[in-house]
Amino acid sequence: MNNRVHQGHFARKRFGQNFLNDQFVIDSIVSAIHPQPGESVVEIGPGLGALTLPVAAKMDRMTVIELDRDLAARLETHPQLQNKLTIHQQDAMKFNFAQLAEQEGQALRVFGNLPYNISTPLMFHLFSYTQAIRDMHFMLQKEVVNRLVAGHNSKTYGRLTVMAQYYCNVIPVLEVPPTAFTPVPKVDSAVVRLVPHTTLPHPVGDVRVLSRITTQAFNQRRKTVRNSLGNLFSVEQLIELGIDPTMRAENISVAQYCKLANWLSEHPQQQESEESL
Ligand code: SAM
């Protein structure tokens, strides 16, 4: 049998389709989410419903966002799901989560076995809606989960780590082997829980400045920050802000990046050009 065919559906690579087939893994994810009736639960990429069915069984209704037209059509006529789902057949990267939370009158609980090809930009999209989100549970490549949970001074610590931890408390939940999926992916996977901070521990005045500094620092991660951030901060300014100029991007904590961003926002003349933010 073709190993890309699952429940009569030919898995589409361009949509990052790897369907969960392992009941133990499915049950573990659902108990980690712990959905309760009355909550506003949203699934990204329900696919053939491996997670949707057990979650919907606990709910009166839930929302799903599925880009693949054929899969959305299957869900529309699914005997156990059709009366419970509000289906948005569209790209989750363009979905307005704030509008949905407003309609629902409460913060959203978002989850999904994410298409790996777009998981990082999709998380950045979701970070812009953290005020509308109560929590998120995602299946990702294990390597991405390692980056999300990393502490500074580690090789896996990067821009994604800083931005994720700026917005959220990040908790690893479960490791998942390739055999739990059809078709079998080449990489290990893991589930992570992201809980947006109700009060940001290190608020910045302008998150675009934080984004710019981290992009610049990690694009040149082998350089010392006196070099990689040299056009934004003098050595004296770095020292004044408590940052050793001989450190590299991975040695600077989230709190320190936020301190740099706030200093720069307060001294806009230091920025080469506003447009590059
Ligand atoms: N949830 C199912 C499971 O666990 O078996 C399917 C997971 S599969 C890894 C990813 C799902 O996301 C697929 O159903 C795919 O069609 C859908 N998808 C891909 N890109 C998407 C996008 N941009 N917006 C919404 N859904 C997308």
Side-chain angles (χ1 to χ4, degrees):
M1 195 173 91
N2 188 319
N3 66 1
R4 294 197 71 79
V5 176
H6 189 53
Q7 296 176 15
H9 173 81
F10 186 85
R12 295 187 166 106
K13 218 175 194 162
R14 73 176 184 284
F15 290 148
Q17 291 176 352
N18 296 95
F19 300 104
L20 268 169
N21 61 27
D22 184 315
Q23 200 54 46
F24 173 76
V25 172
I26 292 168
D27 292 346
S28 305
I29 297 171
V30 176
S31 56
I33 301 170
H34 195 58
Q36 299 290 303
E39 294 174 341
S40 285
V41 169
V42 184
E43 181 176 6
I44 298 175
L48 292 159
L51 295 168
T52 327
L53 272 162
V55 170
K58 296 177 187 290
M59 313 293 295
D60 298 326
R61 44 177 288 277
M62 64 181 276
T63 301
V64 298
I65 307 164
E66 173 57 63
L67 183 57
D68 186 322
R69 200 174 295 165
D70 295 341
L71 291 178
R74 274 176 75 134
L75 293 169
E76 250 165 48
T77 53
H78 193 289
Q80 282 124 284
L81 293 174
Q82 58 182 351
N83 295 329
K84 290 198 171 184
L85 300 188
T86 303
I87 303 172
H88 295 267
Q89 194 262 302
Q90 70 172 88
D91 184 351
M93 297 261 274
K94 297 187 182 137
F95 191 82
N96 187 332
F97 291 88
Q99 198 180 331
L100 178 62
E102 172 110 24
Q103 281 163 12
E104 300 265 319
Q106 63 176 315
L108 309 174
R109 304 197 66 204
V110 182
F111 75 97
N113 170 14
L114 295 188
Y116 292 168
N117 48 349
I118 58 156
S119 61
T120 300
L122 186 52
M123 277 190 284
F124 275 102
H125 179 65
L126 286 153
F127 293 155
S128 67
Y129 290 109
T130 40
Q131 284 176 337
I133 295 174
R134 188 174 123 196
D135 61 19
M136 303 178 261
H137 290 82
F138 294 133
M139 173 86 75
L140 299 162
Q141 283 184 46
K142 190 171 140 193
E143 178 236 314
V144 177
V145 172
N146 289 343
R147 277 161 47 201
L148 287 168
V149 303
H152 61 289
N153 299 325
S154 108
K155 289 273 164 267
T156 47
Y157 183 76
R159 178 172 135 72
L160 178 64
T161 321
V162 176
M163 298 312 291
Q165 295 182 12
Y166 171 74
Y167 287 112
C168 301
N169 194 6
V170 186
I171 305 132
V173 172
L174 178 77
E175 294 196 359
V176 182
T179 48
F181 304 88
T182 307
V184 179
K186 290 198 179 71
V187 293
D188 285 329
S189 301
V191 178
V192 70
R193 175 184 295 135
L194 299 141
V195 185
H197 300 297
T198 36
T199 309
L200 290 171
H202 313 292
V204 297
D206 185 347
V207 81
R208 292 172 309 164
V209 179
L210 179 64
S211 177
R212 180 192 181 183
I213 294 172
T214 52
T215 303
Q216 200 173 308
F218 286 104
N219 277 352
Q220 308 168 76
R221 61 183 299 147
R222 288 160 156 288
K223 288 191 182 170
T224 60
V225 287
R226 72 182 292 167
N227 288 319
S228 62
L229 299 179
N231 63 329
L232 301 174
F233 303 92
S234 68
V235 168
E236 293 72 34
Q237 281 152 2
L238 288 172
I239 293 169
E240 228 169 83
L241 290 164
I243 289 159
D244 175 351
T246 65
M247 292 201 298
R248 294 184 164 76
E250 71 193 41
N251 307 122
I252 298 181
S253 69
V254 177
Q256 285 176 317
Y257 274 113
C258 294
K259 206 167 172 188
L260 287 171
N262 281 331
W263 187 89
L264 204 56
S265 296
E266 285 155 22
H267 300 80
Q269 70 280 9
Q270 294 291 316
Q271 296 174 19
E272 278 185 331
S273 85
E274 286 287 330
E275 291 87 323
S276 60
L277 280 180

